[in-house]
Amino acid sequence: MLTKPYYIQAILPLALRGTFTYRVPEHLIPELEIGKRVVVPFGKRRYYAALIYRMNVQLPQGTKPKDLSYIMDDVPVVTDQQLNFWEWIAHYYMSGLGSVMNTALPNAMKLNSQTSVSLNPEFEEFLEFSDDERMIVAQLSTNESMTVDQLEQLLPKKATQRAVSSLMKQGVIVISEEMKPQAKPQMVEHISFTEAFSRDKAISELLDSLSNAPKQFEIVMRFLEMKGESFSVIKQNLLQRAQASPASLKSLIDRGVFEIQEVLKYGLDVSEGAEFELNEHQLRALEEIKHAFEEKNTVLLQGVTGSGKTLIYTQLIKDAVAKGQQVLYLVPEIALTTQLVERLKVIIGEELFVYHSRFSNRERLTTWMRLLDSANNEIVIGARSSLFLPLNNLGLIVVDEEHESSFKQHESSPHYNARDAAIWLGHKTGAKVLLGSATPAVESVFNAQNGKSALVKLEKRYADIQLPLIHLVDMAKRKRADVQNASFSGELIEAIKATLAVKQQVILFQNRRGYAPFLLCEACGWSAECVNCDVNLTYHKFFEKMLCHYCGYNIKMPKHCPNCHSAKMTVKGFGTEKIEDELEIIFPNARMGRMDLDTTRKKNAFHNIITAFEEGAIDILVGTQMVTKGLDFSNVGLVGVLSADSLWNRPDFRAFERAYQLLTQVSGRAGRKNNRGKVLIQTFRPEHPVLQMVVENNYEAMYQHQLSERQQFSYPPYVRMIMFQLAHPDAKLVREGAVHFGLLLRKYFNKQVLGPEEPVIPRVRGQFLRQVFLKLNAHSSIQESRKTIWSCIDEMEGHPEFRKIRLRIDVDPY
């Protein structure tokens, strides 16, 4: 009897818009479930780990689907709720589901395709082989298949490739693409009594029988002590407590007393929660938030730096945990998780999970699988990617420092904003969303004032500590320090000396890493530039190299000018590395630390630097934006900003707002616990409005100024923006393509289209760039606008020449 063919739609981890249909072999149909991973063929000889998206679908007309190869999972690894979230991300940010899948899943859940070699079972004729070919045939005779990497461990690389090529031509071997998972979740061995020793009488008899085996006796006694009301204990913990060897435990296992079971590793171990008291201002804010949550799903907490917002978050987290709900705590910077975890471990005393890119593939996979099977009151702390975790009972989402641009994914599609995505996720799951910041985004305050969310203010610092005293240093008029150092004013050096003299710490902020931003020949004017990007190379003294911060291209530091061979080479400007270098000369007895991308690449680097600074092992901490984002240090007496002017001198409609936020945030690191802190801002334009607002801590003035300008020139929050970036190695082609695409959009959107234009950096990684912006009325139908945009993109991709151009879509590009 013929059965009707069964088809599924699958999401492939490729930057393609649609899903793909596959026929399911009859014997695999009973195992199908949405959310399971399956291996499917794609193209001529490639296989991918795809995800079942729809089942029992109709076969699209005119298609000849390939067969699904096999099903990888026993249970779904992605929930229906997650797939709904993926659909919204893909729709709103105009991305393919495959791109969302790539972003959402831990790398360990993705499979890599390695070339594997095996003997051809249909080949029987004996041939004369070379020595290298004979060795490969012999190896494959005893192994079902081997990867080329494994064969290259037996023979030189060239010899392997030559022999494999020859054997393929003779038909002796076949090549296939073998799918291999990248990692397995971390497992922990648990020890428990077997059923024979589950009763008190059996245990009593066992202890009597172990009188002549003291180590085994000790293991059983410690097990009874540790297990409490549970049924098992962790093997490693038991051996440590009993001070026994694995051999003694194995004897008890062989005897049938204990059995071992592997379970997924849990989150961080924590101690009992500590009590803390909120002051009257915090209590009032907490009650206002709770009252607002009765009517609104989202609340914005605007609290000045050092006001104790974290304690309010903590109380709300405890309330959610007490209800048996899960909590997601989003932070913009990985460095913040270090301090936050230590504090929440003490205050809350609940199981914590941390999830971000510095964790290994295996650690992230373990967290995913642990949460997949749970709906308990877990707390997850993480960066933006933790939004995609399988949280099945979400009750509260906290978005700390919600204004931060780090919540926006700039590097790859989908270009989502984690704050906005968190608000949508909270709305769909019923979870409450709390946004917190001392300097909230203009859009967030605008939404609150227009009824989309509630606004609660906290205007007093904890323990009534005064806000820091901010002083502007006019670099155009003041003399440099006696050492004639262009990086530091005399005022700043004297302030550092005074701060160190009273045993307080200093933070210096410079928003540029490396030693110096460019190298110049004073004889002919030559400067070191990247061959792939239209930027200068940055000098890094530690590596003795000139590096491109966009593509990674690097050269050795030249001793002579490549253009005129002059030795008059000099570096211009200064980055964090140079500042640290010069400080060691000016303050030889001070202990220095630096926090930037170069010093925090390793997994525990953040923790080590922050711990050292908290414990007083660092006197002066130099850093980029990392030091501005919510870190809480008790003994910082002085904050210095070395080059404030660069913060607003950028062609970005948010430059003014971002400069205010950065300067206010870094200023807030000073004087948080004891005496009033001091802030020195070095600038060539002390009269600039943004600096005056920072000095006065006048967020409202900044907000009103920005609203007025944005309304006048049609920028968010009064319009929605979409940026289209076109890229191709051929400059002429990308120019013509950008003009063509702009005309396609203008047919429908007319004056709402801006450009095309060159970005600030017109070439990156060998690709010439052009940008087209689209401004959509905030009240227009976004659904219809997207359909029109996709039709323009389809027409562009149908063009025989312009289809070669890579088109990047960035919704809300800020």
Side-chain angles (χ1 to χ4, degrees), residues 58 79 87 236 476 560 588 600 604 626 682 735 807:
Q58 294 294 318
T79 66
E87 288 170 348
Q236 195 60 34
H560 297 87
T600 58
N604 295 316
M626 293 179 182
Q682 295 184 165
R735 278 198 304 270
L807 180 64

Side-chain angles (χ1 to χ4, degrees), residues 244-291:
S245 67
S248 298
L249 178 59
K250 186 176 184 302
S251 298
L252 290 167
I253 294 171
D254 293 342
R255 187 174 170 178
V257 176
F258 290 127
E259 58 186 5
I260 293 182
Q261 182 182 12
E262 286 193 335
V263 298
L264 278 170
K265 185 179 178 182
Y266 281 18
L268 299 173
D269 294 330
V270 295
S271 56
E272 289 295 320
E275 292 297 323
F276 60 92
E277 290 186 6
L278 301 179
N279 62 29
E280 60 176 309
H281 307 295
Q282 291 169 318
L283 284 170
R284 177 189 54 77
L286 178 62
E287 289 306 311
E288 287 184 21
I289 291 169
K290 289 180 177 180
H291 180 71

Side-chain angles (χ1 to χ4, degrees), residues 193-212:
F193 276 136
T194 61
E195 188 176 350
F197 290 89
S198 59
R199 297 178 180 176
D200 291 344
K201 183 179 179 182
I203 295 172
S204 178
E205 292 174 353
L206 170 66
L207 292 172
D208 290 340
S209 69
L210 294 175
S211 57
N212 295 323

Side-chain angles (χ1 to χ4, degrees), residues 442-735:
V442 167
E443 289 81 6
S444 297
V445 177
F446 183 82
N447 288 336
Q449 292 183 347
N450 283 275
K452 291 184 179 180
S453 57
L455 175 63
V456 174
K457 292 188 177 183
L458 185 59
E459 299 176 321
K460 292 284 186 179
R461 271 190 153 189
Y462 193 72
D464 290 326
I465 298 292
Q466 287 183 290
L467 287 166
L469 181 65
I470 301 175
H471 177 62
L472 304 178
V473 180
D474 189 345
M475 296 296 284
K477 294 182 179 179
R478 304 296 176 98
K479 291 183 178 180
R480 306 294 189 261
D482 293 339
V483 292
Q484 296 297 309
N485 191 302
S487 306
F488 307 100
S489 62
E491 288 92 334
L492 182 56
I493 288 179
E494 290 303 316
I496 293 173
K497 286 180 182 177
T499 304
L500 296 179
V502 295
K503 305 297 183 184
Q504 288 188 319
Q505 294 167 297
V506 178
I507 290 178
L508 297 179
F509 167 55
Q510 168 63 6
N511 202 27
R512 186 184 294 274
R513 65 186 173 99
Y515 190 85
F518 61 95
L519 176 70
L520 184 70
C521 173
E522 294 183 334
C524 71
W526 174 88
S527 63
E529 296 180 351
C530 179
V531 298
N532 304 312
C533 313
D534 289 338
V535 295
N536 290 311
L537 298 179
T538 300
Y539 174 48
H540 287 252
K541 186 177 180 181
F542 179 80
F543 304 112
E544 278 300 313
K545 287 184 176 181
M546 307 291 297
L547 300 177
C548 174
H549 289 172
Y550 287 85
C551 72
Y553 172 78
N554 64 85
I555 59 173
K556 288 186 178 180
M557 177 73 169
K559 295 181 179 179
H560 297 87
C561 174
N563 187 48
C564 70
H565 306 292
S566 168
K568 294 182 178 180
M569 306 288 287
T570 181
V571 292
K572 297 290 185 179
F574 55 91
T576 52
E577 194 179 18
K578 185 178 182 182
I579 291 166
E580 183 185 29
D581 210 25
E582 292 175 348
L583 285 170
E584 288 174 350
I585 299 171
I586 303 171
F587 303 100
N589 297 321
R591 296 163 297 179
M592 304 293 169
R594 177 160 54 96
M595 186 186 289
D596 56 26
L597 186 61
D598 296 328
T599 62
T600 58
R601 293 182 187 276
K602 295 183 179 179
K603 176 182 173 181
N604 295 316
F606 282 123
H607 176 78
N608 295 339
I609 295 171
I610 290 171
T611 301
F613 195 67
E614 281 185 320
E615 294 177 351
I618 295 174
D619 298 316
I620 304 175
L621 179 63
V622 181
T624 54
Q625 288 191 39
M626 293 179 182
V627 301
T628 73
K629 300 182 180 181
L631 295 169
D632 187 8
F633 301 115
S634 61
N635 194 37
V636 176
L638 174 69
V639 167
V641 180
L642 299 179
S643 182
D645 306 85
S646 62
L647 299 177
W648 60 76
N649 287 329
R650 296 181 295 120
D652 178 1
F653 78 94
R654 295 198 69 171
F656 194 108
E657 176 192 1
R658 290 248 164 90
Y660 177 89
Q661 289 166 339
L662 265 174
L663 292 171
T664 301
Q665 290 287 340
V666 75
S667 299
R669 303 313 108 204
R672 295 174 70 90
K673 291 293 189 294
N674 302 307
N675 300 322
R676 188 180 191 186
K678 186 175 183 180
V679 180
L680 291 184
I681 300 177
Q682 295 184 165
T683 175
F684 287 90
R685 292 191 59 192
E687 76 285 354
H688 196 282
V690 72
L691 292 175
Q692 298 304 317
M693 294 171 188
V694 170
V695 170
E696 297 166 5
N697 190 41
N698 195 343
Y699 176 88
E700 185 62 27
M702 187 278 294
Y703 174 72
Q704 294 299 337
H705 176 273
Q706 285 297 284
L707 273 192
S708 174
E709 281 202 343
R710 295 185 192 186
Q711 187 172 31
Q712 181 180 357
F713 296 106
S714 296
Y715 280 102
Y718 296 100
V719 298
R720 296 174 184 266
M721 282 183 68
I722 302 177
M723 187 266 285
F724 304 92
Q725 186 182 79
L726 295 91
H728 194 272
D730 185 333
K732 181 173 180 290
L733 179 65
V734 81
R735 278 198 304 270

Side-chain angles (χ1 to χ4, degrees), residues 92-94 408 415 721-723 786 809-813:
Y92 184 84
Y93 292 101
M94 302 190 70
K408 173 76 173 179
H415 301 287
M721 282 183 68
I722 302 177
M723 187 266 285
R786 284 191 174 87
I809 308 170
D810 191 349
V811 179
D812 302 336

